[in-house]
Amino acid sequence: MAKETKDYSKYFDFSDARVISEDEHGKKIRIRGRDIQILSEPNHRMEKQRGKEDVQVLYENAVPDELKGIGNGKHYIVYTFGCQMNEHDTETIKGLLELMGYRATEDRKVADIILLNTCAIRENAEDKVFGELGHLKGLKTEKPNLLLGVCGCMSQEEGVVKRILQKHGFVDLIFGTHNIHRLPHLIQEALFSKEMVVEVWSKEGDIIENLPKKREGMRAWVNIMYGCDKFCTYCIVPFTRGKERSRRPEDVIAEVRELARQGYKEVTLLGQNVNAYGKDFTDINYTFAHLMDDIRQIDIPRVRFMTSHPRDFDDALIDVLAKGGNLVEHIHLPVQSGSSEVLKKMSRKYSREHYLELVRKIKVKIPNVVLTTDIIVGFPGETEEQFEDTLSLVREVGFDSAYTFVYSPREGTPAAVMEDNVQMEEKKARLARLNDTINEFSRVSNEEQRGQIVEVLVEGESKNNTNVLSGRTRSNKLVHFEGGAELIGTFVQVEITDPMTWYIKGNLIEQTAKLA
């Protein structure tokens, strides 16, 4: 029996709500005794209609001087759910909070502001957030002055915001992905008005430069673009993140150069579809291949990127990546399915044959390439034969690893209204078979590393043994080896002695000088 679609209609009953005031800045409503200041709210219809013509690049003051001391003596916690883009958004949120005077804590009872930066890709991520809100309700009762907020991709969903308004009135702040730069003003509004403040933009977001970021470790993420124009039928991202907007190349390059100057060892360029970078420029011909070629010449040891869309991965980019140097040989290339029929229903706009030809071209130009991917099983209507196509593609490509998921419908996407006729028991069985196949190739790939000497960027101590350090190779393989904490943040040479399925063990053979 197919899983029932979640019914959001009950969250749209606002018969008990009363409009207190309304003007050009928004409206104030009262629900069950709680005043709510709605500056703007998500609107699915408007999200579909919005365009990129009004997008601006703004270089503004991140935190006005009058708000820089508002958090003095106070503490914050930000819980992050979801992808690298969410993690990077959290770095910006933390940077803004610290400019306001707030300081980080891990103790909920000490925190004066707690924000949940949410993900909307899969239903279980949403369930985790609402479960967390349930836990925080008691803390909010004990500490009424605690500021509790929900932001990120879930906040861009109309049904989610309505659900919070109806069922979680103790939340103080809701804002979206396009207006993170507005956080200082929203905090001020929530603190002084003592009302719930909602500001979620359905209009396209501007590109805001010069925002502060609190980065940790020796690896840095750098947004090069925002949004996605692909509209895959299962994906909510075009609605939560908007259409594709590229940062100006001079701004990206300046940020990477500054990170190199600060001593960062690795940069990952981020975008929902990095291969589409620059296609929205009207005044210059500058693509992702051009950007990678320019960043290749910056003195930073490693440069990665994610995520790629196979449809936009062109020959020019392959040629640039083949130059090597600080451009690592690891490419994350989501395929989602090995069946052309399923790919068509997903609206991925490429076929199995196109994907395999792309992989062939990559392997010819970059013989030592390591490929990883994303795969969904149990998409509506997926047959056993179509799933077998996915298994055969995995075997033909030989992925090092993969993020694998059971399909779950997202409200507002075209796939959500398709007949989900693959039983959950069958989905889970297919997922297990897929993971077994992936693990088989992971083990074989790791076994090929036995006896090899590899360069490892040391990230930290093992969670289970402080005498063991962990780090990653250029190809993103996780390596464990014995060594002292003074090696954290440096590059070392490790001889691989014991390949496992999900990581490899080795012996430190020499310490090299830190790379600038």
Side-chain angles (χ1 to χ4, degrees):
M1 181 178 176
K3 184 177 179 180
E4 292 183 11
T5 303
K6 188 176 288 186
D7 179 16
Y8 284 88
S9 61
K10 58 187 175 181
Y11 303 126
F12 289 82
D13 177 14
F14 283 83
S15 56
D16 57 342
R18 184 161 62 92
V19 177
I20 300 173
S21 63
E22 188 168 3
D23 58 27
E24 69 273 15
H25 302 298
K27 62 184 176 182
K28 184 184 293 187
I29 65 175
R30 181 169 294 159
I31 302 177
R32 298 173 186 171
R34 181 79 198 268
D35 286 354
I36 301 170
Q37 183 71 37
I38 299 181
L39 304 178
S40 61
E41 57 188 322
N43 183 301
H44 190 63
R45 180 180 55 82
M46 288 177 61
E47 287 173 348
K48 284 186 173 181
Q49 295 174 350
R50 66 192 177 198
K52 292 183 284 191
E53 60 275 5
D54 297 327
V55 174
Q56 301 178 71
V57 180
L58 303 176
Y59 302 84
E60 60 182 45
N61 184 12
V63 179
D65 290 342
E66 64 270 21
L67 298 183
K68 285 188 176 176
I70 204 170
N72 286 347
K74 298 180 180 179
H75 298 83
Y76 72 86
I77 299 176
V78 183
Y79 294 113
T80 309
F81 305 80
C83 67
Q84 288 84 359
M85 196 71 74
N86 287 57
E87 294 280 359
H88 189 47
D89 285 347
T90 289
E91 291 180 339
T92 301
I93 290 169
K94 289 180 176 180
L96 288 167
L97 289 171
E98 301 226 345
L99 266 185
M100 296 174 71
Y102 289 95
R103 291 296 174 259
T105 182
E106 295 182 4
D107 187 345
R108 292 186 177 192
K109 293 184 177 180
V110 172
D112 298 280
I113 179 169
I114 298 178
L115 298 177
L116 307 185
N117 186 8
T118 64
C119 173
I121 294 295
R122 272 166 284 280
E123 189 175 24
N124 64 342
E126 183 178 310
D127 292 339
K128 285 180 182 178
V129 171
F130 280 110
E132 196 62 54
L133 281 178
H135 295 312
L136 290 168
K137 183 177 182 179
L139 182 62
K140 176 70 175 176
T141 303
E142 295 173 15
K143 194 175 180 180
N145 289 330
L146 169 68
L147 209 60
L148 184 58
V150 178
C151 59
C153 290
M154 270 177 57
S155 300
Q156 294 287 154
E157 294 190 73
E158 200 172 339
V160 167
V161 172
K162 300 298 186 186
R163 179 177 176 181
I164 294 173
L165 296 184
Q166 281 283 35
K167 302 292 184 180
H168 303 275
F170 54 90
V171 170
D172 300 288
L173 186 61
I174 304 174
F175 61 99
T177 59
H178 300 345
N179 58 330
I180 288 174
H181 63 289
R182 290 266 302 149
L183 178 59
H185 302 278
L186 300 178
I187 290 175
Q188 180 189 39
E189 183 76 27
L191 285 174
F192 293 159
S193 70
K194 303 295 183 183
E195 300 164 353
M196 181 194 293
V197 176
V198 179
E199 185 178 270
V200 181
W201 291 354
S202 292
K203 68 174 185 176
E204 207 59 65
D206 293 321
I207 296 175
I208 313 296
E209 296 292 346
N210 300 333
L211 290 178
K213 297 171 182 66
K214 185 185 180 184
R215 293 181 166 104
E216 297 172 354
M218 74 298 296
R219 298 188 300 166
W221 290 311
V222 173
N223 263 117
I224 66 169
M225 63 182 302
Y226 305 91
C228 184
D229 287 354
K230 290 298 177 284
F231 289 92
C232 300
T233 57
Y234 54 83
C235 186
I236 199 74
V237 164
F239 306 109
T240 62
R241 292 280 178 179
K243 292 186 173 66
E244 291 168 354
R245 293 100 68 204
S246 302
R247 291 178 65 195
R248 300 296 299 186
E250 58 269 23
D251 293 328
V252 175
I253 290 168
E255 183 174 353
V256 175
R257 280 184 174 147
E258 176 60 19
L259 291 170
R261 189 191 67 77
Q262 293 175 17
Y264 282 88
K265 305 297 191 298
E266 182 175 301
V267 162
T268 301
L269 306 180
L270 291 180
Q272 249 71 43
N273 174 17
V274 292
N275 307 117
Y277 175 82
K279 291 189 174 183
D280 54 322
F281 293 145
T282 57
D283 59 330
I284 55 173
N285 177 23
Y286 193 91
T287 67
F288 186 50
H290 292 123
L291 181 67
M292 292 297 283
D293 208 20
D294 285 342
I295 290 179
R296 182 179 63 85
Q297 300 171 62
I298 296 175
D299 188 19
I300 200 159
R302 290 181 182 177
V303 178
R304 304 185 186 276
F305 60 91
M306 64 186 315
T307 290
S308 289
H309 194 296
R311 180 187 172 194
D312 294 325
F313 206 116
D314 58 25
D315 293 346
L317 178 59
I318 296 173
D319 289 340
V320 171
L321 296 178
K323 295 178 181 179
N326 60 357
L327 305 183
V328 301
E329 52 275 11
H330 167 233
I331 299 175
H332 188 70
L333 193 63
V335 65
Q336 306 302 358
S337 173
S339 162
S340 291
E341 293 88 353
V342 174
L343 290 170
K344 186 174 182 179
K345 287 183 71 175
M346 289 178 168
S347 194
R348 290 290 286 175
K349 299 180 176 65
Y350 57 83
S351 66
R352 171 193 178 94
E353 291 72 27
H354 174 275
Y355 187 92
L356 289 173
E357 174 60 17
L358 174 59
V359 167
R360 186 195 66 78
K361 289 194 289 187
I362 291 172
K363 288 185 174 181
V364 167
K365 290 290 182 71
I366 314 171
N368 60 337
V369 70
V370 168
L371 294 171
T372 57
T373 195
D374 297 341
I375 299 174
I376 297 170
V377 301
F379 191 75
E382 182 188 69
T383 65
E384 174 63 24
E385 182 180 6
Q386 290 166 341
F387 172 68
E388 288 288 348
D389 286 343
T390 296
L391 291 182
S392 68
L393 182 138
V394 166
R395 295 187 184 103
E396 187 167 345
V397 175
F399 295 109
D400 249 53
S401 65
Y403 295 104
T404 58
F405 311 96
V406 164
Y407 169 76
S408 64
R410 303 306 297 135
E411 187 76 13
T413 62
V417 298
M418 296 179 184
E419 183 184 1
D420 190 5
N421 54 359
V422 183
Q423 295 184 3
M424 182 54 69
E425 184 178 342
E426 178 60 30
K427 290 180 183 180
K428 290 180 178 179
R430 289 178 185 176
L431 182 68
R433 289 163 60 194
L434 174 62
N435 285 339
D436 285 345
T437 305
I438 294 287
N439 292 343
E440 174 187 334
F441 281 91
S442 294
R443 188 63 186 257
V444 169
S445 173
N446 287 347
E447 185 64 39
E448 291 173 353
Q449 297 287 305
R450 187 187 294 274
Q452 299 290 317
I453 295 174
V454 296
E455 176 193 84
V456 175
L457 175 55
V458 187
E459 297 176 7
E461 296 175 345
S462 168
K463 295 178 181 179
N464 301 321
N465 186 343
T466 55
N467 294 322
V468 174
L469 299 177
S470 66
R472 291 189 180 271
T473 66
R474 285 175 54 92
S475 58
N476 211 38
K477 290 182 182 292
L478 182 63
V479 180
H480 288 180
F481 61 95
E482 290 189 2
E486 72 278 0
L487 297 178
I488 295 173
T490 70
F491 288 97
V492 298
Q493 300 294 312
V494 175
E495 182 179 5
I496 303 307
T497 58
D498 193 6
M500 313 292 280
T501 301
W502 294 285
Y503 66 97
I504 49 184
K505 294 180 180 179
N507 292 328
L508 180 69
I509 60 171
E510 65 175 282
Q511 182 179 356
T512 59
K514 282 192 178 184
L515 295 179

